[in-house]
């Protein structure tokens, strides 16, 4: 039974391709916490203004 995984250290060409391959880019950060935080701050400010006016 043959082994389907290739050992990059098995030959020089495969090793160079393995070491020079670019690393994957990290996923962009989610903006959901920023939006939720902004909404909470807006609600608190509106409530504070209403409380000060009343």
């Amino acid at each position: 039974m043959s082994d389907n995984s290739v050992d990059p250290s098995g030959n020089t060409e495969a090793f160079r391709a393995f070491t020079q391959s670019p690393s994957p880019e990290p996923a962009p950060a989610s903006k959901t916490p920023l939006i939720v935080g902004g909404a909470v701050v807006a609600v608190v400010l509106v409530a504070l203004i209403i409380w000060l006016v009343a």
Side-chain angles (χ1 to χ4, degrees):
M1 188 166 175
S2 66
D3 187 14
N4 291 334
S5 64
V6 176
D7 182 14
S9 65
N11 65 32
T12 304
E13 183 180 354
F15 181 72
R16 285 182 180 162
F18 174 74
T19 58
Q20 293 176 354
S21 63
S23 59
E25 296 288 327
S30 174
K31 294 184 180 180
T32 304
L34 182 62
I35 294 170
V36 170
V40 168
V41 168
V43 168
V44 169
L45 286 176
V46 169
L48 179 63
I49 292 170
I50 291 172
W51 180 71
L52 288 175
V53 171

